Amino acid sequence: MHKLLVRGGMVLALLASSLLAGTPASAGNIITNPPPDKVVIDLVAMAGSGCRPGTAAVAVSPDNTAFTTIYSDYLVQAGPGISPTEGRKNCQLNVLVHVPQGFTFAIAKVDYRGYGQLLKGAVASQRANYYFQGMSQGTYSDHPIAAPLDDNWLISDLVPIASTVWSPCGELRNLNINTEMRLTRGTSSGTSFLTMDSTDGSIDTTYHFAWERCR
């Protein structure tokens, strides 16, 4: 059985700007438990070489603490005779989160999982960017994945509550999630590959919610 390789990262700002008309979130409104009513997530669109139509799905957890994106064809590879375009894949998901009335949310933590077979000398990385529709602010995380590797991998982005940015209260804003994987041969001589895949149903990407009551 493969063990998980854990790498952590800190994203200073993750989504867009604020709550109501530019008013920052108040720590006093943050709640530790998710709202009791059901959260519905619609996958509006997907695009990119890593998630062709029909190869990704989104679901919210029963306890409203997270939602999960599952990929079935997200693979990069590099080696003799393999086109360089196969070493860079991306996926842009556009999701609409219907939250219970009186609440807003931010993304506090993101877990990425996959499997890699990287030869010594290969160079691999995973990147991500998130932002709400109509909001210009946003930043991305960039994580190297060390070689050699023949195992599952796990990368976590942690965002302090003070640094999170919240969806506007009372508005439906689409959340754009952009991910990318890169792989080059580097000094290796053989073939390497890296997946963010869900063939066995246990490899997925999870986005953890932070909840706040609207003013």
Side-chain angles (χ1 to χ4, degrees):
M1 180 177 291
H2 297 297
K3 62 181 180 180
L4 285 176
L5 302 182
V6 181
R7 295 171 175 83
M10 187 70 70
V11 182
L12 296 180
L14 190 55
L15 298 172
S17 59
S18 62
L19 275 171
L20 294 170
T23 304
S26 167
N29 289 334
I30 294 174
I31 60 176
T32 56
N33 296 317
D37 296 331
K38 184 175 178 60
V39 177
V40 177
I41 295 180
D42 296 327
L43 178 56
V44 178
M46 70 175 73
S49 54
C51 60
R52 294 173 293 106
T55 64
V58 175
V60 68
S61 65
D63 61 0
N64 292 352
T65 61
F67 68 94
T68 298
T69 305
I70 301 175
Y71 306 95
S72 62
D73 191 25
Y74 204 160
L75 166 73
V76 290
Q77 52 186 334
I82 297 176
S83 170
T85 59
E86 292 298 309
R88 180 178 178 180
K89 297 292 180 69
N90 75 294
C91 179
Q92 177 170 323
L93 300 178
N94 185 284
V95 300
L96 184 59
V97 183
H98 301 267
V99 302
Q101 185 174 4
F103 292 90
T104 185
F105 75 95
I107 304 299
K109 180 184 177 185
V110 187
D111 298 324
Y112 299 96
R113 295 179 176 87
Y115 180 81
Q117 190 173 86
L118 306 178
L119 299 178
K120 184 178 180 180
V123 180
S125 65
Q126 184 270 338
R127 298 181 176 185
N129 172 261
Y130 328 88
Y131 61 93
F132 285 109
Q133 181 180 13
M135 297 181 171
S136 59
Q137 293 91 336
T139 188
Y140 72 89
S141 60
D142 188 353
H143 299 279
I145 299 178
L149 173 67
D150 184 6
D151 216 330
N152 296 318
W153 57 269
L154 167 64
I155 290 173
S156 294
D157 284 336
L158 303 174
V159 187
I161 290 296
S163 298
T164 54
V165 187
W166 304 79
S167 172
C169 274
E171 298 183 26
L172 283 177
R173 291 284 183 95
N174 288 28
L175 175 63
N176 292 290
I177 305 167
N178 302 309
T179 59
E180 181 181 293
M181 291 197 302
R182 294 188 178 190
L183 175 61
T184 61
R185 291 177 60 181
T187 59
S188 67
S189 58
T191 299
S192 298
F193 70 87
L194 191 70
T195 70
M196 194 146 48
D197 191 271
S198 62
T199 301
D200 63 3
S202 64
I203 301 175
D204 52 32
T205 299
T206 302
Y207 300 81
H208 299 270
F209 289 135
W211 290 102
E212 185 174 32
R213 294 187 184 276
C214 293
R215 300 170 194 266

